[in-house]
Amino acid sequence: MEKTYNPELIEAKFRDIWEQSHFFSSQLNSNSQNAYSIVLPPPNVTGSLHMGHAFQHTIMDVLTRYHRSKGDQTLWQPGTDHAGIATQMVVERQLERQNISRHDLGREKFTEKVWDWKHHSGGTITSQMRRLGTSVDWERECFTMDKTLSDAVQKVFIELYNEGLIYRGKRLVNWDPVLLTAVSDLEVISTEEQGSLWHIRYPVANSDEVMVVATTRPETMLGDSAVAIHPNDDRYQHLIGKMVNLPLTNRQIPIIADNYVDMEFGTGCVKITPAHDFNDYEIGQKHELENINILTDDAKINLNAPKAYQNLDRFIARKTVVKDLEKQNLIEKIDPHTMMVPRGDRTNSVIEPYMTDQWFVKIIPLAEPAINAVKNGDIRFIPENWEKTYFNWMENIEDWCISRQIWWGHRIPAWYDKNGKIYVAKNFTEAQKQAGKGVELTQDEDVLDTWFSSALWPFSTLGWPEKTSELSRFYPTSVLVTGFDIIFFWVARMIMFGIKFAGNVPFKDIYITGLIKDGHGQKMSKSKGNVLDPIDLIDGISLEELLEKRTQGMMQPELAKKITKQTEKEFSNGIPSFGTDALRFTFTTLASFGRDIKFDLKRVEGCRNFCNKLWNASRFVLMKLESRLIDFDATLSTPDKWILSRLQHTKIAVEKHLSEYRLDLMSQTLYEFVWHDYCDWYLELSKPLLDSKETRSGCEATLIKVLSETLTLLHPIIPFITEEIFEQCRSLNDDKSERLITKPYPEIDQTLISKNSESEIAWLQEFILGIRQIRGEMNISPGKPLPCFIQNLDTSDKAYIKSNLSIIETLAKLESIKQLSENDSSPESATALVGEMKILIPLAGLVDKKQEILRLNKEIEKLIKHQRQYTGKLNNKKFISGAPKEVVEKEQSKLSSVEKALGDLELQLKKISSL
RNA sequence: GGGCGCUUAGCUCAGUUGGGAGAGCAUCGCCCUUACAAGGCGAGGGUCACAAGUUCAAGUCUUGUAGCGCCCA
């Protein structure tokens, strides 16, 4: 074995071997009683995988590999999402650089271009996944626009339509005037922005009075249909039912009363623009007001407005309107105002409420069973508190606008005749049948919201609506692993559609992971220039390349300087190559239940070091056991029994943590076992054990047995390095597995849990630590052999000493250990205690006694602190009477041992000081 | 305005029916000891945001305050 492990070579090797051997296939373990399945949240084919993907993929891979090696028939279903708007935008932007618009190409040519992009981008994603070691069943890879998945989409649409759960209608929707499409509520991000509040005078018809209304969007006055006041507002009672002259328009509009109006806000008068405001729309419906649309698709003023404003862009129109009002002295005042401005999540353009014909899903009948599924425990959120977020949204849910005026996606299977009658069918022929021969039909131009097809993912990928064997075997899936950012977009909709169409919930557990942020807790984004590519952490990247990556092709090139500076500061030497396993281990240690995960390179470094530690421990084992015939039935020594016992505890903890999705605790447990139990202690103990004939065989068998099981435990987290070590050690092993990936997960063996060896080794460790501490504090070189006296031994001390004498001498580098009886006078010594046994290291020729006095005082101080704490408790009568017996007894025994130790140390202090 | 969450060592964070304040990284000291310097050994460092309450006992439960963050309107 190489002295330092080199991830690059071994990763490439096993990527190929695993996949070519079909080890990821869901057909394995087909005789098993248990099925385990996860669907991969399909990444968008818009680009490449980011840290969040890599993080979640690692979690899913750990679960998948674990269940596979437990013997479950395991499916991890891969695939990608066509991501309608996002992908269309990527391609449109590329065309833009060649000065081509999608309209130049036409629908058919354009979608061809998008398919080209899809093949390119999909390839990037899958190759990245392979680099990460994701063990998905590649033979089952899907895409949301595959034929079978598209058929499923059509079927769902048609069935919902026939049931009256999908309808088409003219409604006020969120309109993106740049994309020229409707978007759903979820795709609109409202943020606080500085604006103005214009107070405008509306003259009351046939009167001298004016009503002052306030608005943040003065141009919308061109579409006003009424002025509203609160029915109880004394100031305006006499005006209800009268008319106002709407300025700039030559129109008269009524004054109405409605509870919706807030009397306290502004003047208490509100302009009502039903076609351009969601609240006003409601009021308009109630009062049967006219919906006056004053905007074109791209947010210019249309022909319904006075000539002066027609064809003006909405923001220019705003200025013009204000100017004209000022001219007529109709502006009362202009206040600065912070308000919520809605912007499209893709384009960042201001979203307009806009009247258009759209398709909607009537959502409440679907939401109710989906709410119940979580209430009655069919679905569990992990961590649990996310269910509150889910309920909160589901209980206030609104109909879902599913039509998009774009070209990339599932075209809506609806046709219209000349009179606008709708025929919903799976194809033109069927639609024609419905319409009757000779009726001229045209298909709806729109496509479906991307999330409509994603909502079917857990069953459409398994072959639904066909009754496939996969569907019956793997549906409902075991767990969904995803981020909280798409609970509404995706998770909720999968639950609704799963229950409705697949007849059952789509998954039993929903593990909501945290989101990966940069080291400062900032969201990673291209515009912030703080994105890390998981592949760069695996392979490493120079500062120059990283800078180029972060500043290339930016939407706002003026930020490049700042990004360069930040990047240079943070990654002055670029990023070293850490390897896939180190990155995966890092992700699992970060997988606690927090919301934000600050990603820190130092953490990866620590995990890389762990891999190296494991590598070197294996190298040690291999060197020691090379060409030896291992006797797996050999007698075991106490240290052998101890490490086997520790291994069982580790296995128990690992399974517990994994079943609770605490991958952070799982990897921490394994880290501690490997580093601190196996390497720090057992490997050190093995050195003397291997040197002695009586203990050698048992130790050899234990070394390899524990290593081998540990590799299996670690394999789900760090598959590459463990597979490589397994291969190198295979000749030593007695098991028949060809590869670690197919090796059965080790069972917990309760009979190997040994309390006796645990307490004996604990004693041994205390002994050695005592001596190391003296060495450390006295600055005695670790290589210098020391003489040692022990005094005040009880029977177990005596037994332990007898069986561990040479081990202690080796590990603590002692020249000799001599027992003193109670009455023997000891030389001037440094002291450590193991229980009541005293360890004495003579000071002669080593250090001056001042240092030992200092050290003793420090120890004594610590003990006194504890003594105070315990006596305080025990002097409290309420504690004695109120606390359970065991607790009181425990406190008492703690106090007595502290007091004994104190006595010993104080005596020692006196003795040394007086010399 | 409604909801959710966070505040523990210099930094990042664990702490699961209330009973010993922990890890990694960073810091300091000694050591290139034949698995590992990507290492070994030892050490220092905390009023668990603040206040009140429940309890024999609170980082942990309840209430309030302050600061920060997210989601929804």
Side-chain angles (χ1 to χ4, degrees), chain A residues 768-785:
Chain A
I768 292 165
L769 288 172
I771 289 169
R772 280 186 191 160
Q773 197 190 27
I774 290 171
R775 257 188 218 277
E777 303 246 319
M778 300 283 166
N779 285 343
I780 301 169
S781 141
K784 187 178 173 67

Side-chain angles (χ1 to χ4, degrees), chain A residues 202-209 239 242-245 252-253 255:
Chain A
Y202 284 9
V204 178
N206 308 317
S207 154
D208 296 335
E209 287 185 75
L239 295 176
K242 293 196 170 171
M243 305 292 275
V244 296
N245 291 319
Q252 286 201 336
I253 54 174
I255 299 165

Side-chain angles (χ1 to χ4, degrees), chain A residues 84 279 334 377 472 628 730 779:
Chain A
N279 290 317
I334 306 170
S472 59
R628 296 277 305 171
R730 212 157 78 86
N779 285 343

Side-chain angles (χ1 to χ4, degrees), chain A residues 474-541:
Chain A
F474 293 118
Y475 192 91
T477 63
S478 309
V479 59
L480 176 77
V481 179
T482 192
F484 57 80
D485 50 338
I486 51 175
I487 290 180
F488 305 143
F489 276 111
W490 192 44
V491 180
R493 288 162 180 172
M494 278 192 286
I495 298 174
M496 291 189 273
F497 280 17
I499 294 171
K500 173 84 184 163
F501 290 99
N504 202 345
V505 294
F507 26 72
K508 294 168 200 147
D509 288 353
I510 304 170
Y511 171 22
I512 300 291
T513 67
L515 299 185
I516 302 275
K517 304 289 180 78
D518 76 359
H520 311 285
Q522 294 286 313
K523 198 173 166 183
M524 288 190 185
S525 72
K526 182 123 181 74
S527 62
K528 281 187 188 138
N530 59 354
V531 172
L532 284 174
D533 183 338
I535 301 300
D536 292 342
L537 291 160
I538 294 172
D539 293 340
I541 185 169

Side-chain angles (χ1 to χ4, degrees), chain A residues 416-428:
Chain A
Y416 306 100
D417 65 18
K418 275 188 178 156
N419 303 319
K421 195 173 175 221
I422 302 169
Y423 304 93
V424 168
K426 66 179 177 187
N427 53 38
F428 175 75

